[in-house]
Amino acid sequence: MLIQRAGYLNFLIEWKEQQIIKVITGIRRCGKSTLFELFQEHLLSCGVAPEQIIAINFEDVDNEPLCGYKELYEHVKGRMVPGKMNHIFLDEIQHVAHYEKAVDSLFVQKNADVYITGSNAYFMSGELATLLSGRYVELKMLPLSFAEYVSAFTDPRSNLHAPDSGRTTTQKSLAGALGIPEHMPPIRRQDFQSKEDLYRDYIYNSSFPYTVGLRSRKQIHTYLDGLYNTVVLNDIVERRRIQDPAMLKSVIRFLFDNIGNTCSAKKIADAMTSAGRKIASRTVENYLEGITDSLLMYKVGRFDIKGKEYLRLLDKYYLADIGLRYYLLGTRNVDQGHILENVVFLELLRRGYQVYIGKIGPAEVDFVAQDCDGNIEYYQVALTVREERTLTRELASLDSIPDHNPKYLLVMDNDPPASHNGIRQKFVLDWLLEK
């Protein structure tokens, strides 16, 4: 099952054969290996010979003999075709001891086009980043966007489409509403009648690519259980040498239950202590670093809009995949407003923005998004603003911003687009499906 992830694929195509190392990072199972497969298919379609593609996945036990940097370098060097460009794919390279030495040695070969992946932030925070400073570009991958999730069931290239027989009128109207060719019906785990139904499935059943091929909630839960425990045990406990995994899991549960709320190490430590599990703030800080380095969650700092400065206290944390929240905590005490915030935050990351929480006087703006040219946009997210009092409250913080950068109010109200004194109100699911 190959879901076409055009944005990421185009990044690799853009940098193909340029004398720079391509680094792809992202949480485990977000689709990095599949992206390599898609790109290798592209290379073959462009006339690259199979022997010019060298692909090694270090999670395959057959490749354990190559987990030393000398052995890896000699193996790849021996397979390279002289006089032709060789495309070298090293997947989950963090399993190779001192891999940065092998990568650097391959990089200096004039006929080597090098691509590497890793499933945590550690492998780009140490010697590799220092050794290769200025000689790599990084692609940060996430699980499926809402648009990619929809396309997985409607794009014939995903191999998930079904014959047109038995298709309902509601499926046809939904396909038209999403701009999907009517001869490609959406195939779901249940019958859907609206974008809202698709969205509920997206957040509840996970955005990890593999889950779209699973046909029951039990299968999805089992898959997420394995993924979650692998991230916790391999990427956090083992890497950070944590002595109390049970306490770590309690902190993770607290964070999952408080996405979109301001948090600090002290606040978390106090909450754990009041629940009868005493823990020091410094220990919580270590846990938080491990959680974010594993790419399980993202820490979002605050930005003073008027003072144009970054604030050091009370960050917020958002999940790489909302389905993990439902897997771990079930459906109790779900704040759908914060869930929607989480989805919007991840989409802003996918679109290439640096994202912050906006602070303006006593008010707060959900997101300040800055692009690579320094242009800024402001986003406020709400479930509904159909009541006048709610609309006034949600607009207040945006209205108080003195500059004229674009301002958006994203809501789940499926109403026509509106403008409030220059603030553009959009149906958030339409916004998520924008190209």
Side-chain angles (χ1 to χ4, degrees):
M1 182 192 310
L2 296 179
I3 298 168
Q4 303 300 314
R5 309 190 71 180
Y8 296 135
L9 183 58
N10 288 338
F11 177 93
L12 297 185
I13 293 172
E14 177 186 353
W15 289 98
K16 177 173 71 78
E17 297 186 4
Q18 295 198 37
Q19 189 61 22
I20 198 162
I21 298 166
K22 279 65 72 173
V23 178
I24 298 91
T25 58
I27 188 172
R28 289 175 182 267
R29 305 296 177 260
C30 71
K32 300 184 296 295
S33 300
T34 303
L35 178 64
F36 272 1
E37 292 179 35
L38 290 167
F39 185 53
Q40 289 160 24
E41 285 186 1
H42 170 79
L43 292 174
L44 293 171
S45 71
C46 292
V48 174
E51 58 269 22
Q52 292 173 250
I53 297 175
I54 303 170
I56 303 171
N57 188 329
F58 294 100
E59 290 197 327
D60 186 339
V61 70
D62 288 341
N63 293 320
E64 278 191 1
L66 303 178
C67 285
Y69 74 92
K70 290 183 179 179
E71 292 82 0
L72 171 60
Y73 174 73
E74 293 298 332
H75 173 81
V76 174
K77 190 74 164 51
R79 287 183 56 187
M80 291 174 63
V81 179
K84 293 187 177 181
M85 183 60 70
N86 294 268
H87 305 274
I88 301 164
F89 298 88
L90 306 175
D91 202 359
E92 302 294 355
I93 198 173
Q94 72 271 7
H95 294 293
V96 177
H98 303 294
Y99 53 83
E100 65 278 358
K101 297 180 180 179
V103 170
D104 188 45
S105 296
L106 291 170
F107 169 73
V108 299
Q109 306 298 315
K110 293 186 182 299
N111 63 334
D113 186 25
V114 182
Y115 303 79
I116 65 176
T117 75
S119 288
N120 53 57
Y122 301 111
F123 92 113
M124 284 306 295
S125 61
E127 291 184 39
L128 182 64
T130 302
L131 186 64
L132 302 179
S133 178
R135 291 189 284 175
Y136 72 89
V137 290
E138 183 179 3
L139 172 62
K140 298 178 180 180
M141 282 195 75
L142 290 162
L144 299 176
S145 68
F146 182 57
E148 289 170 334
Y149 192 82
V150 170
S151 75
F153 299 92
T154 58
D155 189 329
R157 293 171 295 175
S158 69
N159 298 319
L160 281 174
H161 60 287
D164 193 50
S165 59
R167 189 172 176 210
T168 66
T169 302
T170 54
Q171 285 177 319
K172 289 181 180 180
S173 61
L174 175 60
L178 297 179
I180 297 164
E182 290 207 356
H183 65 281
M184 294 307 309
I187 305 302
R188 312 297 312 141
R189 282 179 281 271
Q190 65 184 63
D191 289 331
F192 288 92
Q193 300 182 20
S194 67
K195 296 176 191 178
E196 289 85 349
D197 287 336
L198 283 160
Y199 171 77
R200 280 192 291 271
D201 193 62
Y202 172 67
I203 61 173
Y204 183 58
N205 285 326
S206 172
S207 60
F208 282 102
Y210 190 79
T211 64
V212 300
L214 302 179
R215 295 301 178 183
S216 72
R217 180 63 191 168
K218 182 177 180 181
Q219 285 183 324
I220 293 167
H221 189 277
T222 300
Y223 177 78
L224 293 179
D225 181 71
L227 172 60
Y228 170 77
N229 284 293
T230 299
V231 171
V232 171
L233 296 177
N234 290 16
D235 294 338
I236 307 177
V237 171
E238 183 178 337
R239 184 72 63 168
R240 308 292 298 194
R241 299 180 181 177
I242 289 172
Q243 302 299 312
D244 189 352
M247 179 63 83
L248 168 67
K249 290 183 177 181
S250 293
V251 171
I252 292 174
R253 291 178 69 91
F254 178 88
L255 288 171
F256 278 27
D257 205 23
N258 284 274
I259 55 174
N261 291 325
T262 53
C263 286
S264 66
K266 184 179 185 306
K267 179 179 179 180
I268 296 170
D270 290 346
M272 295 293 104
T273 301
S274 66
R277 306 198 65 189
K278 189 173 183 179
I279 184 174
S281 295
R282 184 173 299 177
T283 302
V284 174
E285 289 175 359
N286 182 45
Y287 289 178
L288 292 174
E289 289 178 6
I291 291 165
T292 54
D293 281 345
S294 73
L295 305 177
L296 178 64
M297 300 193 80
Y298 291 85
K299 180 173 75 171
V300 188
R302 297 195 304 158
F303 181 76
D304 184 342
I305 294 172
K306 283 189 176 179
K308 304 297 181 184
E309 63 178 353
Y310 302 104
L311 304 175
R312 298 177 60 87
L313 298 175
L314 297 176
D315 303 310
K316 292 187 179 184
Y317 291 83
Y318 292 100
L319 261 167
D321 171 65
I322 290 297
L324 286 170
R325 195 261 180 217
Y326 284 102
Y327 146 77
L328 192 64
L329 301 180
T331 56
R332 65 176 181 82
N333 301 326
V334 179
D335 186 329
Q336 289 297 336
H338 283 161
I339 295 289
L340 185 59
E341 269 184 46
N342 201 130
V343 172
V344 169
F345 165 73
L346 293 176
E347 184 62 24
L348 289 170
L349 288 187
R350 289 187 186 94
R351 296 183 185 185
Y353 292 102
Q354 294 286 332
V355 186
Y356 309 94
I357 308 302
K359 183 72 174 169
I360 181 158
E364 190 173 88
V365 177
D366 287 331
F367 299 118
V368 178
Q370 186 174 40
D371 69 15
C372 59
D373 294 319
N375 300 311
I376 288 177
E377 297 176 353
Y378 303 106
Y379 291 85
Q380 195 74 2
V381 183
L383 281 180
T384 179
V385 292
R386 284 177 174 161
E387 289 187 3
E388 189 64 31
R389 183 174 59 180
T390 305
L391 177 62
T392 301
R393 183 184 70 240
E394 295 296 339
L395 291 174
S397 56
L398 293 175
D399 271 327
S400 66
I401 299 173
D403 63 50
H404 298 289
N405 292 310
K407 303 177 181 72
Y408 298 94
L409 175 61
L410 303 179
V411 298
M412 281 293 289
D413 300 324
N414 191 356
D415 297 329
S419 179
H420 311 279
N421 193 28
I423 298 170
R424 283 172 275 184
Q425 178 180 326
K426 288 188 173 185
F427 178 35
V428 66
L429 300 189
D430 283 344
W431 178 80
L432 290 170
L433 291 167
E434 289 176 359
K435 299 296 184 183

